[in-house]
Amino acid sequence: MVHVHPRPSDCRLAKKLFIRTYGCQMNVYDSARMADVLAPLGYAPTATPQGADMVILNTCHIREKASEKVYSELGRLRRLKDERTATGGDMVLAVAGCVAQAEGEEIRRRAPYVDIVFGPQAYHRLPEMVARATRASAAARHAGPGVLDTSFPVESKFDYLPGASGRQGVSAFLSVQEGCDKFCTFCVVPYTRGAEFSRPVPQIATEARDLIALGAREITLLGQNVNAYHGADEQGREVGLGGLIRHLAALPGLQRIRYTTSHPRDMDDGLVAAHREVAELMPYVHLPVQSGSDRILAAMNRKHDVDDYRHAVDRLRRARPDLALSSDFIVGFPGETAADFAATLDLIRAVGYAQAYSFKYSPRPGTPAAALPNQVPEATKGERLAALQALLAEQQQGYNDAALGRSFAVLFERPGRHAGQLVGRSPYNQAVHVTAPQDLLCKLALVRITHSKSHSLEGALVKQPAFAGAAT
Ligand code: SAH
Ligand code: SF4
Ligand code: F3S
């Protein structure tokens, strides 16, 4: 007779885990990994904080608005937690991510009912933190100081994380690089994420294979400076992002590769060549420039000027003429004049963007720019942002209009809002809505674009016997 041991999920009631994620894709990735770490403890993801046994806020510190959200959300969660404890239940409340890293002590002071506070590099230690936090009763914990881990451990969390278990989906994120050594004067990331670090190639390849086995057909490689990636391959040789992409492109089942976010200074020849030669690498690059004024770029400590940026764009476009570009812009950096701002608009006109993100400069505590004189008035920031966004919206609409009548491969990611509709992405990262049979979900299909909108496209399936799934 075969004796079957029950799996943990068979012998305990699953506990409910709710994670709310703010900020960038790296936080989205981290949240998925936290769920992986907590799965062996019996926690299963749930869609709302109501009734959850554990709630994690994975926070972002990049702009003031982002971090202030955390405290208002904590206020709401406190009421939920109180209700649960009042009825004899329990809810472990944790704050993770970049606000936790930057303001761990302040969170404990302003919100003492939070049980666990931990930074982006410490979440592999979650099981131990949960055990420590739940040792005391819910009532005793309420008064206590809670668990705090905002260290930058010497060990890499990636060496301790379990395999990707819960991350289904046709398009998956995979962090390959973390941290930043560039210290732009406006930015908190070097302080919240720590120094630049690249994962070794074999470790990334293993995780990519796991994701493919779970259904991923597209993987987006993530890093705060993803093109600064330099990891060791099986032979111990160092490879750049281009080399890593070639390695992953050879994995059976992986049809599309993307990466984000890049720094203009790290756009090396190996990566440019990958855009020319690797069919699986999608023709879309997010290359933040922040400003079109050399004076402001210098004050930002960006370590590149406008010419360097334009040169990087030219090299990429020579390698891949149909490349779609996106960028990040900051308006109202301290000392930005009308002429500096006009130079940013000129750069946008000269480059031509398919998509972009833009922000008002937000002074962040502890960053050098926050202490600079000549802070730009809010009203001026508002006017400049509106003008910049109008130009970018016009470019994005023009870019989408240019797709009309063209056909390209769309990877269907999810059902659309209307019955019988699927939504996928074009090679150029545009959302495409198509009336299509549900069995095309998670597959590539050739689509002809019939309508264009400011933020998405509509198209129709191109009838063909069997679409083998060329990457673009
Ligand atoms: N590593 C990337 C971007 C990281 S943060 C890079 O080097 O470009 C994402 C974007 O947030 C930045 O590109 C920038 O445009 C914006 N950002 C960062 N700090 C900001 C601040 N203090 N105020 C306004 N926007 C900011
Ligand atoms: Fe921030 Fe600059 Fe580093 Fe990007 S390169 S993460 S903007 S410091
Ligand atoms: Fe925000 Fe941290 Fe990402 S500050 S943008 S969550 S690296």
Side-chain angles (χ1 to χ4, degrees):
M1 195 183 104
V2 182
H3 191 79
V4 181
H5 292 280
R7 287 178 291 125
S9 56
D10 296 329
C11 57
R12 302 179 217 173
L13 267 183
K15 288 176 275 187
K16 291 183 188 158
L17 168 67
F18 176 75
I19 307 183
R20 192 185 297 287
T21 309
Y22 302 91
C24 62
Q25 290 103 325
M26 303 215 55
N27 258 15
V28 175
Y29 172 86
D30 288 342
S31 292
R33 297 302 263 155
M34 287 173 205
D36 289 343
V37 173
L38 291 169
L41 273 67
Y43 285 97
T46 184
T48 61
Q50 281 76 19
D53 300 285
M54 180 165 180
V55 173
I56 303 177
L57 294 187
N58 194 8
T59 62
C60 172
H61 198 240
I62 202 83
R63 284 168 291 274
E64 194 181 351
K65 249 195 212 151
S67 38
E68 275 309 313
K69 270 186 206 154
V70 175
Y71 292 102
S72 48
E73 182 67 19
L74 279 176
R76 279 190 288 274
L77 289 169
R78 176 194 196 159
R79 282 191 290 280
L80 264 189
K81 188 176 158 108
D82 285 348
E83 279 164 29
R84 253 178 99 83
T85 7
T87 53
D90 193 4
M91 182 181 114
V92 179
L93 181 54
V95 181
C98 292
V99 179
Q101 187 63 46
E103 299 179 4
E105 288 297 349
E106 193 179 340
I107 293 170
R108 293 217 293 186
R109 200 171 43 77
R110 280 176 70 174
Y113 47 89
V114 170
D115 300 296
I116 310 176
V117 176
F118 59 99
Q121 306 306 347
Y123 62 77
H124 56 298
R125 297 174 175 169
L126 255 175
E128 186 203 325
M129 290 189 255
V130 173
R132 272 168 54 205
T134 52
R135 218 170 278 151
S137 72
R141 278 194 346 250
H142 205 83
V147 177
L148 176 76
D149 190 345
T150 50
S151 56
F152 289 110
V154 282
E155 78 273 12
S156 156
K157 66 181 175 228
F158 295 109
D159 293 341
Y160 293 85
L161 296 175
S165 56
R167 282 183 289 157
Q168 269 108 6
V170 66
S171 181
F173 289 141
L174 204 177
S175 285
V176 301
Q177 182 277 341
E178 268 209 87
C180 180
D181 296 340
K182 299 215 165 47
F183 292 92
C184 299
T185 53
F186 54 80
C187 184
V188 295
V189 170
Y191 312 99
T192 62
R193 291 272 168 173
E196 274 185 16
F197 167 80
S198 296
R199 299 176 68 185
V201 176
Q203 194 186 63
I204 295 167
T206 302
E207 192 170 329
R209 271 190 222 99
D210 287 352
L211 292 171
I212 296 166
L214 287 167
R217 294 294 168 262
E218 172 177 278
I219 292 182
T220 302
L221 308 176
L222 299 180
Q224 269 90 26
N225 282 278
V226 71
N227 57 343
Y229 176 84
H230 55 100
D233 69 6
E234 285 90 345
Q235 285 78 39
R237 285 178 309 222
E238 198 173 277
V239 300
L241 186 63
L244 176 67
I245 287 169
R246 283 174 201 272
H247 201 97
L248 298 178
L251 295 179
L254 186 58
Q255 293 169 310
R256 289 182 163 188
I257 300 173
R258 301 181 187 273
Y259 63 91
T260 200
T261 295
S262 299
H263 193 280
R265 243 175 70 125
D266 296 319
M267 205 34 93
D268 65 18
D269 290 341
L271 183 54
V272 172
H275 274 286
R276 185 184 304 113
E277 291 153 16
V278 179
E280 289 82 0
L281 180 57
M282 291 296 97
Y284 173 88
V285 175
H286 181 62
L287 195 61
V289 64
Q290 317 298 356
S291 168
S293 155
D294 281 344
R295 215 175 58 81
I296 295 297
L297 288 174
M300 287 176 162
N301 189 33
R302 282 290 291 178
K303 301 182 167 72
H304 64 80
D305 60 18
V306 171
D307 261 5
D308 297 331
Y309 182 81
R310 298 218 33 198
H311 185 60
V313 168
D314 288 346
R315 285 161 62 225
L316 282 163
R317 283 189 165 152
R318 270 200 301 276
R320 186 74 208 227
D322 64 338
L323 189 94
L325 267 177
S326 114
S327 192
D328 291 343
F329 298 92
I330 294 177
V331 298
F333 184 82
E336 185 188 73
T337 62
D340 293 320
F341 177 62
T344 303
L345 296 181
D346 287 345
L347 176 66
I348 294 172
R349 284 189 203 99
V351 172
Y353 289 96
Q355 199 184 308
Y357 303 89
S358 44
F359 315 96
K360 286 190 222 171
Y361 168 69
S362 169
R364 306 306 293 129
T367 58
L372 285 176
N374 303 322
Q375 297 284 330
V376 174
E378 259 327 283
T380 312
K381 285 185 197 172
E383 284 160 22
R384 289 181 187 168
L385 187 67
L388 183 113
Q389 289 185 336
L391 175 60
L392 290 168
E394 195 185 300
Q395 289 198 341
Q396 185 164 342
Q397 181 73 59
Y399 187 82
N400 285 347
D401 290 347
L404 281 172
R406 291 187 58 204
S407 298
F408 37 60
V410 170
L411 180 61
F412 289 115
E413 292 174 7
R414 58 188 166 87
R417 243 182 293 146
H418 306 295
Q421 208 183 43
L422 294 179
V423 186
R425 298 246 154 217
S426 79
Y428 312 101
N429 212 31
Q430 296 144 298
V432 189
H433 300 252
V434 182
T435 300
Q438 298 296 302
D439 63 0
L440 278 181
L441 196 60
C442 303
K443 296 198 178 104
L444 280 167
L446 195 60
V447 170
R448 198 173 66 82
I449 303 305
T450 53
H451 293 88
S452 84
K453 297 185 183 167
S454 51
H455 292 285
S456 65
L457 302 172
E458 282 173 30
L461 288 175
V462 175
K463 297 244 178 329
Q464 51 172 19
F467 183 66
T472 57

